[in-house]
Amino acid sequence: MSVVTNTTTIGAIDLPSRRNTELALLGFAVAIPVFAYLNVGLALDGKVPAGMLGYGVGLGLLAGIAHLLVRRFAKYADPILLPLATLLNGLGLVLIWRLDQSPRVIAKSMAQFGSYSPDAPKQLMYSAIGVALFLLVLIFLKDHRVLQRYTYISMVVAVILLLLPLVPGLGSDVFGAKIWIKVGPFSIQPGEFAKIVIAVFFSGYLMVKRDALALASRRFMGLYLPRGRDLGPILTIWAVSLLILVFENDLGTSMLFFGMFVIMLYVATERTSWIIMGLLMAVGGAVVVGSTASHVKSRVAAWLDPFECLKTAPEGSNMIQACDQMTQVLMSFGSGGTLGTGLGQGNSDLVGFAANSDFIFATVGEELGLAGVMAFLLLYGLIVERGLRTALAARDPFGKLLATGLSGAFGLQIFVVAGGVMGLIPLTGMTMPFLAYGGSSVIANWALIAILLRISDTARRPAPAPAPSPDAEMTQVVRP
Amino acid sequence: MNKPLRHIAIFCGLLVLALLIRDNWIQYVRADELSTHSSNRRVTIERYASVRGNIIVDGKPITGSVDSKDPTYKYKRTYTNGPMWAPVTGYASQAFDANQLEKLNDGILTGNDDRLFFDRTLSMFTGDKKKGGDVVTTLNGAAQKAAFEGLGDKKGAVAAIEPSTGKILALASTPSYDPSSFAGYHDKDAKAWQALEKDKDKPKLNRALREIYPPGSTFKVLTAAAALENGKVTDINAATDTPEPYLLPDTRVAMKNHARGCENATLKYAMEVSCNSVFAKLGHEVGRDKMVEMAEKFGFNNAEIDTPVRAATSVYDKKMDRPGNALSSIGQFNTNATPLQMAMVTAAIANDGKLMKPYMVDELRSPDLDILEKHEPEEMSRPMSPKTAQLVQEMMESVVNSQVGTGGKAKIDGATVGGKTGTAQHGELNKARPYAWFISYAKTDNGSPVAVAVIVEDSKATRDDISGGGLAGPIARDVMKAVLDSKK
């Protein structure tokens, strides 16, 4: 809150921009993945990997350009977010490259498709696109409040994005979940982008409606119930998230949107009753869907006791597959133990398909162990908390809500994915931001970081110096 | 809006905390359980990731490893003369786990054992590939060959022990299987495995260690020892007070003798021709509790005879009634023994009353031949005095040497052989085909180098004690001869 004090008459104290801190941290964020890369190469082939220099220079270049542009266009931005994202993205590339080398994966692909193409180069390209988008956002989005104008357009865009996978011919069904669309050679997961767009809509909408939602309510059984016309959009969101779940088999995305909305409602209205209502609606939705959709049912069974469910599940059902995956992931984590087997020396590719996307965290668990997983969780936690710190510091309600929504969604996604993979909650099939293979995810998350940086830049930017006050002149001491 | 925002920050912190706790739960608390879980393929992958050490007999490996060119399991196990050695080695299969020595010494063979830590660290620096250590067995290749070939296509088992040390010299079981046939994890391995699983003859069963049979008349040597130890007989050449027919105690059931001249026969004669009545009566006189005590000293009712492969528990019933005890004294009723157990009984007699703990792993050694563990012979018990043992030896030798003796086929030139035949009735109302047994030891001037127990299950034998001598005797003789020859 120190920022607020700057608007008093004491005058503007130039906050340190912390750009050099960011540069130093970026040095680490590049060096650590480069060493990890070396480590994998040595473990797998016993020699320094061929692409070592290119990889190091490439990652360094991406980070360097990003840093210079932040210096130029968002001087006061949070100094930790960019290094964190760079580190995670870099380590993700190493992990994907490591899984690419798995002879089992290669043999399986050769047997199935007769060819094999590694994912790491593609991911590197996506990362470059992601950083490019990050820079574009920083350059062209001079002030995040501009987004406020597009509140209702955002809603339309978000709905379209979410419904695209259901369009026949465009959407593609991958292992039961209809969350991809195919455009030429690329498959895009529109849900990842919808996450950002919908946060913009919620922020704009709630900023306008917060008073109505907070105050114009009737007390009923200890809860403050809003008026019907204010409640409408909320019920709509709830219904939409249920529909996504039912038609696209995407438990994760619907949980994410709904959770994000509840968080933002709570922050906007400062009323606890929203949390309670949100929870009730979420539980209601989960019960309805959980008892009807077989997809969800098998995941719940796999969550409760994967080893037992593997024995009791009917032959050839998707429950077998879900339970088998869960046991493989758990055994992967267990085999890693406290310190892990070391990069390149585990067998996390046994998890099967999606080892480098949905289940990449299992590789972290097996090869870097408990220590590595905790480090990763803390890195993610830091991103979330820096985002919320940005929200606290933001001076405009729209920025506050947007930063809250984005970092809340990020935090929820971490929880849903890591919790699912580690068997804390039922698995939902989302991916670890930055770490997992997937173009949409990397690109969208870089954009998310860019928006957070922009908000933090505005928040930490010193207020313009107060206009010279005529009264101050009067108190001047006139020297003889 | 800042107050709820701080709550959200705390909430997100709690989410991360929950993840951290969960992670500790699965990666620390449950790590061992998960990493060694039976469906965790990493255990198998690790087992075949490097050249596996070998199981050694007579200084030569009877196992091997070949590069399978497979991305998952790098090396595959091979076996030299697999069916012959299967009861010793067990199997190590990429798809079906491992058993016996392959499983028990997995740590040494894979090189993952803690005792090989130094070697592993060293090879990390020298850049050598990780290699497994070797398991050196006590077995005698010639004896094993004689046993396996002697059994031929008959169903049965042979166990041979060196009485003075307890070293297992031969361990054969037929029909057998070739562990190489399912060492991999492909379709043909699965087919071979399923065929073995379905086989009525149970080729995978290690009959020498893991199957119990009624020992029949071979048990009489134990009853004789018990009678001598307990003073029920003092002179083996004195007539016993045995009626013909002998009625089982508390019953009107007459015991049948296949042999002639059993009425008031001497103990020695009764042993030679295998009189049921004499031994049933002696067992009854010794009494159940003393009989149990004697049997247990030999290793009966002991569930933990580890060679290190655990043998099935041989049984002498502790709670049966008096007629049961009398029947058990001639190796029928509830009495059951593994071939190893009967070899132990014979070995203890040949070793003048001292029973040595049987074992078949002599040394564990590192890839560079350092000895990691050496098994020292260990005394298990002293079931009888040397004097008793010598008297029983005298009787067993006359089983082989006497004109009327049933064990004539086991004679070996240049060695003293003592033996006892047995034909064990079993099945409902004893209708099933009887088992042919033969237990024996050979002796030279330097003591006894070998005691052996042979059982042939599916004999075409008549119900006659001769069949034990006729079918199982020659096998025992060949095994003893192989050991004697290899000592020369």
Side-chain angles (χ1 to χ4, degrees), chain A residues 390-452:
Chain A
T390 298
L392 273 176
R395 279 170 281 200
D396 64 303
F398 178 77
K400 254 186 205 307
L401 283 173
L402 186 55
T404 310
L406 292 178
S407 30
F410 197 87
L412 281 176
Q413 185 163 358
I414 300 305
F415 180 74
V416 166
V417 181
V421 171
M422 296 196 292
L424 182 61
I425 54 169
L427 195 69
T428 52
M430 284 173 92
T431 57
M432 224 51 192
F434 295 116
L435 215 53
Y437 172 72
S440 322
S441 171
V442 170
I443 297 169
N445 282 305
W446 272 111
L448 186 150
I449 295 289
I451 296 172
L452 280 180

Coordinates of all heavy atoms in Angstrom, one line a residue, chain A residues 390-452:
Chain A
T390 N 0.2 -8.0 -7.1 CA -0.1 -7.0 -8.2 C -1.5 -6.4 -8.0 O -1.8 -5.2 -8.1 CB 0.1 -7.6 -9.6 OG1 1.4 -8.0 -9.7 CG2 -0.3 -6.6 -10.6
A391 N -2.5 -7.4 -7.8 CA -3.9 -7.0 -7.6 C -4.0 -6.1 -6.4 O -4.7 -5.1 -6.4 CB -4.7 -8.2 -7.4
L392 N -3.3 -6.4 -5.3 CA -3.4 -5.5 -4.1 C -2.9 -4.1 -4.4 O -3.4 -3.1 -3.9 CB -2.5 -6.2 -3.0 CG -3.2 -7.2 -2.1 CD1 -2.1 -7.8 -1.1 CD2 -4.3 -6.6 -1.3
A393 N -1.8 -4.1 -5.2 CA -1.2 -2.8 -5.4 C -1.9 -2.0 -6.5 O -1.8 -0.7 -6.5 CB 0.3 -3.0 -5.9
A394 N -2.7 -2.7 -7.3 CA -3.4 -1.9 -8.4 C -4.3 -0.9 -7.9 O -4.9 -1.0 -6.8 CB -4.2 -2.9 -9.3
R395 N -4.3 0.3 -8.6 CA -5.1 1.4 -8.1 C -6.5 1.4 -8.6 O -7.4 2.1 -8.1 CB -4.4 2.7 -8.3 CG -3.3 2.9 -7.3 CD -2.4 4.0 -7.6 NE -1.4 3.6 -8.6 CZ -0.3 4.3 -8.9 NH1 0.0 5.4 -8.2 NH2 0.6 3.9 -9.8
D396 N -6.8 0.8 -9.7 CA -8.1 0.8 -10.3 C -8.8 -0.5 -10.1 O -8.2 -1.6 -10.1 CB -8.0 1.1 -11.8 CG -7.3 0.0 -12.5 OD1 -6.1 -0.3 -12.1 OD2 -7.9 -0.6 -13.4
P397 N -10.1 -0.5 -9.8 CA -10.8 -1.7 -9.6 C -10.8 -2.7 -10.7 O -10.7 -3.9 -10.5 CB -12.3 -1.3 -9.3 CG -12.4 0.1 -9.7 CD -11.0 0.7 -9.7
F398 N -10.8 -2.2 -11.9 CA -10.7 -3.2 -13.1 C -9.4 -3.9 -13.1 O -9.4 -5.2 -13.2 CB -10.9 -2.4 -14.4 CG -10.7 -3.3 -15.6 CD1 -11.8 -4.1 -16.0 CD2 -9.6 -3.3 -16.4 CE1 -11.7 -4.9 -17.1 CE2 -9.5 -4.1 -17.5 CZ -10.5 -4.9 -17.8
G399 N -8.3 -3.2 -12.9 CA -7.0 -3.9 -12.8 C -6.9 -4.8 -11.7 O -6.4 -6.0 -11.8
K400 N -7.5 -4.4 -10.5 CA -7.5 -5.3 -9.3 C -8.2 -6.6 -9.7 O -7.7 -7.7 -9.4 CB -8.2 -4.6 -8.2 CG -7.4 -4.1 -7.1 CD -8.3 -3.6 -6.0 CE -7.6 -2.6 -5.1 NZ -6.3 -3.0 -4.6
L401 N -9.4 -6.5 -10.3 CA -10.2 -7.7 -10.6 C -9.5 -8.5 -11.6 O -9.5 -9.8 -11.5 CB -11.6 -7.3 -11.0 CG -12.5 -6.8 -9.9 CD1 -13.8 -6.3 -10.5 CD2 -12.8 -8.0 -9.0
L402 N -8.9 -7.9 -12.6 CA -8.3 -8.6 -13.7 C -7.1 -9.4 -13.2 O -6.9 -10.6 -13.4 CB -7.9 -7.7 -14.8 CG -7.4 -8.4 -16.1 CD1 -8.3 -9.4 -16.6 CD2 -7.0 -7.3 -17.2
A403 N -6.3 -8.7 -12.4 CA -5.1 -9.4 -11.8 C -5.5 -10.6 -10.9 O -5.0 -11.7 -10.9 CB -4.2 -8.4 -11.0
T404 N -6.6 -10.3 -10.1 CA -7.1 -11.4 -9.2 C -7.6 -12.6 -10.1 O -7.2 -13.7 -9.8 CB -8.3 -10.9 -8.4 OG1 -7.9 -9.6 -7.8 CG2 -8.7 -11.9 -7.4
G405 N -8.3 -12.2 -11.1 CA -8.9 -13.3 -11.9 C -7.8 -14.1 -12.6 O -7.8 -15.4 -12.5
L406 N -6.8 -13.4 -13.2 CA -5.8 -14.2 -13.9 C -4.9 -15.0 -12.9 O -4.7 -16.2 -13.2 CB -4.9 -13.2 -14.7 CG -5.6 -12.5 -15.8 CD1 -4.6 -11.5 -16.5 CD2 -6.1 -13.5 -16.9
S407 N -4.5 -14.4 -11.8 CA -3.7 -15.2 -10.9 C -4.5 -16.2 -10.2 O -4.0 -17.3 -9.9 CB -2.9 -14.3 -10.0 OG -3.6 -13.1 -9.6
G408 N -5.8 -15.9 -9.9 CA -6.6 -17.0 -9.3 C -6.8 -18.1 -10.2 O -6.7 -19.3 -9.8
A409 N -7.0 -17.9 -11.5 CA -7.2 -18.9 -12.5 C -5.9 -19.8 -12.6 O -5.9 -21.0 -12.6 CB -7.6 -18.4 -13.8
F410 N -4.8 -19.0 -12.6 CA -3.5 -19.7 -12.7 C -3.3 -20.6 -11.5 O -3.0 -21.8 -11.6 CB -2.4 -18.6 -12.7 CG -1.1 -19.1 -13.2 CD1 -0.8 -19.2 -14.5 CD2 -0.1 -19.6 -12.3 CE1 0.5 -19.6 -15.0 CE2 1.1 -20.1 -12.7 CZ 1.4 -20.1 -14.1
G411 N -3.6 -20.1 -10.3 CA -3.5 -20.9 -9.1 C -4.4 -22.1 -9.1 O -4.0 -23.2 -8.8
L412 N -5.6 -21.9 -9.5 CA -6.6 -23.0 -9.6 C -6.1 -24.1 -10.6 O -6.2 -25.3 -10.3 CB -8.0 -22.5 -10.0 CG -8.8 -21.9 -8.9 CD1 -10.1 -21.4 -9.5 CD2 -9.1 -22.9 -7.8
Q413 N -5.6 -23.6 -11.7 CA -5.1 -24.6 -12.7 C -4.0 -25.4 -12.1 O -4.0 -26.6 -12.3 CB -4.6 -23.8 -14.0 CG -4.3 -24.8 -15.1 CD -4.2 -24.1 -16.4 OE1 -4.4 -22.9 -16.6 NE2 -3.8 -24.9 -17.4
I414 N -3.0 -24.8 -11.4 CA -1.9 -25.5 -10.8 C -2.5 -26.6 -9.9 O -2.1 -27.7 -9.9 CB -1.0 -24.6 -10.0 CG1 -0.4 -23.5 -10.9 CG2 0.1 -25.4 -9.3 CD1 0.3 -24.1 -12.1
F415 N -3.5 -26.1 -9.0 CA -4.0 -27.0 -8.1 C -4.7 -28.2 -8.7 O -4.6 -29.4 -8.4 CB -5.0 -26.3 -7.1 CG -5.6 -27.2 -6.1 CD1 -4.9 -27.6 -5.0 CD2 -6.9 -27.6 -6.2 CE1 -5.4 -28.4 -4.0 CE2 -7.5 -28.4 -5.2 CZ -6.7 -28.8 -4.2
V416 N -5.5 -27.9 -9.7 CA -6.3 -28.9 -10.4 C -5.4 -29.9 -11.1 O -5.6 -31.1 -11.0 CB -7.3 -28.3 -11.4 CG1 -7.9 -29.3 -12.3 CG2 -8.4 -27.6 -10.6
V417 N -4.4 -29.4 -11.8 CA -3.5 -30.3 -12.5 C -2.6 -31.1 -11.6 O -2.6 -32.3 -11.6 CB -2.6 -29.5 -13.5 CG1 -1.7 -30.5 -14.3 CG2 -3.5 -28.7 -14.5
A418 N -1.9 -30.4 -10.7 CA -0.9 -31.1 -9.8 C -1.7 -32.0 -8.9 O -1.3 -33.1 -8.6 CB -0.1 -30.1 -9.1
G419 N -2.8 -31.5 -8.3 CA -3.6 -32.3 -7.4 C -4.2 -33.5 -8.1 O -4.2 -34.6 -7.6
G420 N -4.6 -33.3 -9.4 CA -5.1 -34.5 -10.1 C -4.0 -35.5 -10.4 O -4.2 -36.7 -10.2
V421 N -2.9 -35.0 -10.8 CA -1.8 -36.0 -11.2 C -1.3 -36.7 -9.9 O -0.9 -37.9 -9.9 CB -0.6 -35.2 -11.9 CG1 0.6 -36.1 -12.0 CG2 -1.1 -34.7 -13.2
M422 N -1.3 -36.0 -8.8 CA -0.8 -36.6 -7.6 C -1.9 -37.3 -6.8 O -1.6 -37.8 -5.7 CB -0.1 -35.6 -6.7 CG 1.1 -35.0 -7.3 SD 2.2 -34.1 -6.1 CE 1.2 -32.7 -5.7
G423 N -3.1 -37.4 -7.4 CA -4.1 -38.1 -6.7 C -4.8 -37.5 -5.6 O -5.4 -38.1 -4.7
L424 N -4.7 -36.1 -5.5 CA -5.3 -35.4 -4.4 C -6.8 -35.2 -4.7 O -7.6 -35.3 -3.8 CB -4.6 -34.1 -4.1 CG -5.1 -33.2 -3.0 CD1 -4.9 -33.9 -1.7 CD2 -4.3 -31.9 -3.0
I425 N -7.1 -34.9 -5.9 CA -8.4 -34.8 -6.4 C -8.6 -35.6 -7.7 O -7.5 -36.0 -8.3 CB -8.7 -33.3 -6.7 CG1 -7.7 -32.7 -7.7 CG2 -8.8 -32.4 -5.4 CD1 -8.0 -31.3 -8.2
P426 N -9.8 -35.8 -8.2 CA -9.9 -36.6 -9.5 C -9.2 -35.9 -10.6 O -9.1 -34.6 -10.7 CB -11.4 -36.6 -9.7 CG -12.0 -36.4 -8.4 CD -11.1 -35.5 -7.6
L427 N -8.6 -36.7 -11.5 CA -7.8 -36.1 -12.6 C -8.8 -35.4 -13.6 O -9.9 -35.9 -13.8 CB -7.2 -37.3 -13.3 CG -6.0 -37.0 -14.2 CD1 -4.9 -36.4 -13.5 CD2 -5.7 -38.2 -15.0
T428 N -8.3 -34.3 -14.1 CA -9.2 -33.6 -15.0 C -8.6 -33.4 -16.4 O -9.3 -32.9 -17.3 CB -9.4 -32.2 -14.5 OG1 -8.2 -31.6 -14.2 CG2 -10.3 -32.2 -13.2
G429 N -7.4 -33.7 -16.6 CA -6.8 -33.6 -18.0 C -6.5 -32.2 -18.4 O -6.8 -31.8 -19.6
M430 N -6.0 -31.4 -17.6 CA -5.4 -30.1 -18.0 C -3.9 -30.2 -17.9 O -3.4 -31.2 -17.4 CB -5.9 -29.0 -17.1 CG -7.4 -28.6 -17.3 SD -7.9 -27.5 -16.1 CE -7.5 -26.0 -16.9
T431 N -3.3 -29.1 -18.4 CA -1.8 -29.2 -18.4 C -1.2 -28.2 -17.5 O -1.7 -27.1 -17.3 CB -1.3 -29.0 -19.9 OG1 -1.8 -27.8 -20.3 CG2 -1.8 -30.1 -20.8
M432 N 0.0 -28.5 -17.1 CA 0.8 -27.6 -16.2 C 1.3 -26.4 -17.1 O 1.9 -26.6 -18.1 CB 2.0 -28.5 -15.8 CG 2.4 -28.3 -14.3 SD 1.1 -28.6 -13.2 CE 1.9 -28.0 -11.7
P433 N 0.9 -25.2 -16.7 CA 1.3 -24.1 -17.5 C 2.8 -24.0 -17.6 O 3.6 -24.3 -16.7 CB 0.9 -22.9 -16.6 CG -0.2 -23.4 -15.8 CD 0.1 -24.8 -15.5
F434 N 3.3 -23.7 -18.8 CA 4.7 -23.6 -19.2 C 5.4 -24.9 -19.3 O 6.3 -25.1 -20.1 CB 5.5 -22.6 -18.3 CG 5.0 -21.2 -18.4 CD1 4.5 -20.6 -17.3 CD2 5.1 -20.5 -19.5 CE1 4.0 -19.3 -17.3 CE2 4.7 -19.2 -19.6 CZ 4.1 -18.6 -18.5
L435 N 5.1 -25.8 -18.4 CA 5.9 -27.0 -18.3 C 5.5 -28.1 -19.4 O 6.3 -28.7 -20.0 CB 5.6 -27.7 -16.9 CG 6.8 -28.4 -16.3 CD1 8.0 -27.4 -16.2 CD2 6.4 -28.8 -14.9
A436 N 4.2 -28.2 -19.6 CA 3.7 -29.2 -20.5 C 3.8 -28.9 -21.9 O 3.8 -27.7 -22.3 CB 2.2 -29.5 -20.1
Y437 N 3.8 -30.0 -22.8 CA 3.9 -29.8 -24.2 C 2.5 -29.3 -24.6 O 1.5 -29.8 -24.2 CB 4.2 -31.1 -24.9 CG 4.0 -31.0 -26.4 CD1 4.9 -30.2 -27.1 CD2 3.0 -31.6 -27.0 CE1 4.8 -30.1 -28.5 CE2 2.8 -31.5 -28.4 CZ 3.7 -30.7 -29.1 OH 3.6 -30.6 -30.5
G438 N 2.5 -28.3 -25.5 CA 1.2 -27.8 -26.0 C 1.3 -26.4 -26.4 O 1.7 -25.5 -25.6
G439 N 1.1 -26.1 -27.7 CA 1.2 -24.7 -28.1 C 0.3 -23.7 -27.5 O 0.7 -22.7 -27.0
S440 N -1.0 -24.0 -27.5 CA -2.0 -23.1 -27.0 C -1.7 -22.7 -25.5 O -1.7 -21.5 -25.2 CB -3.4 -23.7 -27.0 OG -3.6 -24.5 -28.1
S441 N -1.3 -23.7 -24.8 CA -1.0 -23.4 -23.3 C 0.1 -22.5 -23.2 O 0.0 -21.5 -22.4 CB -0.8 -24.8 -22.7 OG -0.3 -24.6 -21.4
V442 N 1.2 -22.8 -23.8 CA 2.4 -21.9 -23.7 C 2.1 -20.5 -24.1 O 2.4 -19.5 -23.4 CB 3.6 -22.5 -24.5 CG1 4.7 -21.5 -24.5 CG2 4.0 -23.8 -23.8
I443 N 1.5 -20.4 -25.3 CA 1.2 -19.1 -25.8 C 0.3 -18.3 -24.9 O 0.6 -17.1 -24.6 CB 0.7 -19.2 -27.3 CG1 1.7 -19.8 -28.2 CG2 0.3 -17.8 -27.8 CD1 1.2 -20.2 -29.5
A444 N -0.8 -18.9 -24.5 CA -1.8 -18.2 -23.7 C -1.2 -17.8 -22.4 O -1.4 -16.7 -21.9 CB -3.0 -19.1 -23.5
N445 N -0.3 -18.7 -21.8 CA 0.2 -18.3 -20.5 C 1.2 -17.2 -20.6 O 1.4 -16.4 -19.6 CB 0.8 -19.6 -19.8 CG -0.3 -20.4 -19.2 OD1 -1.1 -19.9 -18.4 ND2 -0.4 -21.7 -19.6
W446 N 2.0 -17.1 -21.7 CA 2.9 -16.0 -21.9 C 2.1 -14.7 -21.9 O 2.4 -13.7 -21.4 CB 3.7 -16.1 -23.1 CG 5.0 -16.9 -22.9 CD1 5.4 -18.1 -23.3 CD2 6.1 -16.4 -22.1 NE1 6.6 -18.5 -22.9 CE2 7.1 -17.4 -22.1 CE3 6.4 -15.3 -21.3 CZ2 8.3 -17.3 -21.4 CZ3 7.6 -15.1 -20.7 CH2 8.6 -16.2 -20.7
A447 N 0.9 -14.7 -22.6 CA 0.1 -13.6 -22.7 C -0.5 -13.2 -21.3 O -0.5 -12.0 -21.0 CB -1.1 -13.8 -23.7
L448 N -0.8 -14.2 -20.6 CA -1.3 -14.0 -19.2 C -0.2 -13.3 -18.4 O -0.5 -12.3 -17.7 CB -1.7 -15.3 -18.6 CG -2.3 -15.3 -17.2 CD1 -3.2 -16.6 -17.1 CD2 -1.4 -15.4 -16.1
I449 N 1.0 -13.7 -18.5 CA 2.1 -13.1 -17.7 C 2.3 -11.6 -18.2 O 2.5 -10.7 -17.4 CB 3.4 -13.9 -17.9 CG1 3.3 -15.3 -17.3 CG2 4.6 -13.1 -17.3 CD1 3.3 -15.3 -15.8
A450 N 2.1 -11.4 -19.5 CA 2.3 -10.1 -20.0 C 1.3 -9.1 -19.5 O 1.6 -8.0 -19.1 CB 2.2 -10.1 -21.6
I451 N 0.0 -9.6 -19.4 CA -1.0 -8.7 -18.8 C -0.8 -8.4 -17.4 O -0.9 -7.3 -16.9 CB -2.4 -9.4 -19.0 CG1 -2.7 -9.5 -20.5 CG2 -3.5 -8.5 -18.3 CD1 -4.0 -10.3 -20.8
L452 N -0.3 -9.5 -16.6 CA 0.0 -9.2 -15.2 C 1.1 -8.2 -15.1 O 1.1 -7.3 -14.2 CB 0.4 -10.5 -14.5 CG -0.7 -11.5 -14.1 CD1 -0.2 -12.7 -13.4 CD2 -1.6 -10.8 -13.1

